[in-house]
């Protein structure tokens, strides 16, 4: 049996075991990487661990550690209140504001994970405070990042347009950008109404403030309002004190730290993980009490999940599995079928690996096929690009992992499964829809 087939069977086995048994898939993936790498490929330990995502590890640890401190000292609560005032207190507008801010950041050139890393913790703080479905809020942030991600000056846009520019294919950077933005807006509209957005319309933040004040005064538990998705929340402990009004020194320092993170990561393109951990250490030195217990709030289960899965993906790449699947599809011969299968390859693989890297693989794979002229190049490139990035809602991707790690007041196991189901739906349906709306019209 070839190494490519062995790695695919190992991946399927991991999914089955992790679904049936309560075992972290990351642990299974480390075992699979070790067995497949050593027995099927003859790789040594250093080569296997070469696929470990050190940058993602640092980003997850740094961001969740930083926002654990911000939560401990009440800064997150202050930011949530300020943002609510900006939207006039209307709760239904909050998810769309988060979508718009994240889209604007990536459209201006910010790395998608960097934008999500900064916005997701704040957005999910909103979800916890105002009883917005956390899955809705987290996915709005990710889809916002992907919606703005193909502007001509963005990382995704520059990557795809640069690849196409080196070929004889027709190109339209503006069409690519608009196609991605509209596609993600469409998904977000469906999400908004499917995950309880309708019940948020007309609701004002002041209603939650009154309930919260009353609950604190009586020492009662804060019970979630009824509605779709509310059962994912855990009630807070009774008798907890409301945050003190005004700004303290540690809160001012935390806000300045978040601004520094944004400027250095987005403006100067410094690594968001290193910047986040640096800001966190400075805050811990300035206010040791605020960092008490913060390390325990780092999402270690998510770190294990992503570390293991992406290490195994590295072994799969070493086995040539991705190239093997791509070449097998390209050799089928039926243009429309090849087009939809290429979209699915980009979507499925990107759900577990870097979207930028997958774009660098799938677009070149499609070039010889597109040069034959049977399929319109502009529409196909847009469909491939969208298919390879909308799946970043997967909990195995960087963006999805950041959402998973920063969800507040939820059952983490249940939230993980909700994300898994949603990303499965996106992977199953998204590439087909992208193919239908971007490729088929060019043939009519």
């Amino acid at each position: 049996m070839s190494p490519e087939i062995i790695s695919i069977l190992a991946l399927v086995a991991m999914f089955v075991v992790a679904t049936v048994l309560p075992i972290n898939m990351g642990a299974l993936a480390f075992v699979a990487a070790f067995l497949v790498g050593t027995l099927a490929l003859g790789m040594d330990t250093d080569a296997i661990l070469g696929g470990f995502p050190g940058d993602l590890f640092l980003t997850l640890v740094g961001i969740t550690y930083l926002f654990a401190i911000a939560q401990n000292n009440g800064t997150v609560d202050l930011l949530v209140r300020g943002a609510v005032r900006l939207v006039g207190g209307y709760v239904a507008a909050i998810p769309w504001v988060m979508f718009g801010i994240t889209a604007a950041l990536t459209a201006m050139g910010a790395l998608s994970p960097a934008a999500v890393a900064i916005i997701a913790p704040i957005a999910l703080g909103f979800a916890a405070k105002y009883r917005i479905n956390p899955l809705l809020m987290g996915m709005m942030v990710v889809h916002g990042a992907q919606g703005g991600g193909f502007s001509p000056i963005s990382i995704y846009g520059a990557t795809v347009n640069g690849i196409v520019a080196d070929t004889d294919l027709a190109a339209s950077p503006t069409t690519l950008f608009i196609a991605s933005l509209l596609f993600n807006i469409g998904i977000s509209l469906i999400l908004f109404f499917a995950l309880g957005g309708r019940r948020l319309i007309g609701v004002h933040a002041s209603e939650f403030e009154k309930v919260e004040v009353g609950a604190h005064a009586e020492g009662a538990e804060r019970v979630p309002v009824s509605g779709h998705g509310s059962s994912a929340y855990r009630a807070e402990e009774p008798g907890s004190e409301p945050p003190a009004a005004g700004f303290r020194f540690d809160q001012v320092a935390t806000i300045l730290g978040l601004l520094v993170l944004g400027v250095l990561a987005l403006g100067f393109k410094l690594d968001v993980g290193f910047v986040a951990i640096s800001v966190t250490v400075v805050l811990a030195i300035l206010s040791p009490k605020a960092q008490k217990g913060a390390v325990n709030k780092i999402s270690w289960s998510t770190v294990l999940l992503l570390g293991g899965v992406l290490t195994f993906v590295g072994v799969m790449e070493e086995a040539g599995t991705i190239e093997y699947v791509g070449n097998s599809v390209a050799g089928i011969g039926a243009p429309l079928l090849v087009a939809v299968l290429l979209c699915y390859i980009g979507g499925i693989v990107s759900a577990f690996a870097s979207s930028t890297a997958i774009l660098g693989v799938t677009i070149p794979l499609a070039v010889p096929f597109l040069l034959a002229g049977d399929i319109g190049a502009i529409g196909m490139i847009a469909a491939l690009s969208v298919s390879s990035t909308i799946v970043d809602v997967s909990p195995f991707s960087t963006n999805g992992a950041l959402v998973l790690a920063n969800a507040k007041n939820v059952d983490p196991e249940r939230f993980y499964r909700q994300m898994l189901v949603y990303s499965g739906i996106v992977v199953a349906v998204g590439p087909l829809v992208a193919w239908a709306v971007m490729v088929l019209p060019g043939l009519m």
Side-chain angles (χ1 to χ4, degrees), residues 86 154 180 247 268 312 370:
L86 287 177
S154 68
S180 175
F247 289 85
F268 291 89
F312 181 71
L370 291 174

Side-chain angles (χ1 to χ4, degrees), residues 412-432:
E413 182 64 25
R414 178 175 180 179
F415 189 63
Y416 164 71
R417 292 187 180 279
Q418 289 175 340
M419 286 188 66
L420 201 59
V421 170
Y422 174 65
S423 60
I425 293 172
V426 171
V427 170
V429 179
L432 181 62

Side-chain angles (χ1 to χ4, degrees), residues 109-164:
L111 286 169
S112 176
V116 173
I118 293 170
I119 302 301
I122 298 173
L124 288 160
F126 276 111
K129 187 175 182 66
Y130 297 109
R131 298 300 181 258
I132 302 171
N133 188 306
L135 183 64
L136 166 63
M137 187 65 94
M139 297 304 95
M140 290 288 278
V141 171
V142 177
H143 283 302
Q146 305 311 81
F150 283 95
S151 78
I153 61 172
S154 68
I155 301 300
Y156 289 160
T159 299
V160 173
N161 293 327
I163 293 172
V164 175

Side-chain angles (χ1 to χ4, degrees), residues 138-206:
M139 297 304 95
M140 290 288 278
V141 171
V142 177
H143 283 302
Q146 305 311 81
F150 283 95
S151 78
I153 61 172
S154 68
I155 301 300
Y156 289 160
T159 299
V160 173
N161 293 327
I163 293 172
V164 175
D166 291 333
T167 71
D168 295 327
L169 297 174
S172 176
T174 301
T175 299
L176 176 64
F177 176 40
I178 293 175
S180 175
L181 180 60
L182 292 179
F183 198 91
N184 281 278
I185 289 175
I187 292 179
S188 298
L189 278 169
I190 295 171
L191 267 178
F192 182 79
F193 289 103
L195 297 181
R198 185 185 300 276
R199 69 176 178 83
L200 301 177
I201 297 174
V203 177
H204 198 272
S206 60

Side-chain angles (χ1 to χ4, degrees), residues 367-429:
V367 169
F369 161 69
L370 291 174
L371 286 173
D374 297 314
I375 299 292
I378 293 175
M380 183 62 195
I381 290 168
L384 273 174
S385 300
V386 169
S387 299
S388 299
T389 54
I390 56 168
V391 295
D392 275 6
V393 295
S394 161
F396 308 113
S397 70
T398 305
N399 289 344
L402 287 166
V403 170
L404 181 63
N406 287 286
K408 308 297 182 183
N409 296 347
V410 301
D411 177 347
E413 182 64 25
R414 178 175 180 179
F415 189 63
Y416 164 71
R417 292 187 180 279
Q418 289 175 340
M419 286 188 66
L420 201 59
V421 170
Y422 174 65
S423 60
I425 293 172
V426 171
V427 170
V429 179

Side-chain angles (χ1 to χ4, degrees), residues 73-90 94 98 122-123 125-127 129-130 204-206 208-210 212-213 216 222 241-248 251 255:
N73 64 25
T75 303
V76 170
D77 192 63
L78 287 173
L79 292 173
V80 167
R81 291 180 182 181
V84 169
R85 285 194 289 269
L86 287 177
V87 297
Y90 291 103
I94 295 174
M98 297 298 105
I122 298 173
F126 276 111
K129 187 175 182 66
Y130 297 109
H204 198 272
S206 60
F208 291 89
E209 301 292 343
K210 292 174 184 177
E212 187 174 71
V213 171
H216 283 302
R222 287 166 55 188
E241 294 298 325
F247 289 85
R248 301 191 308 270
Q251 293 172 335
I255 292 173

Side-chain angles (χ1 to χ4, degrees), residues 318-338:
E318 181 68 23
T321 306
I322 297 171
E323 185 178 358
Y324 166 78
V325 174
N327 290 337
S328 298
V329 169
I332 291 175
L336 283 176
L337 181 58
V338 171

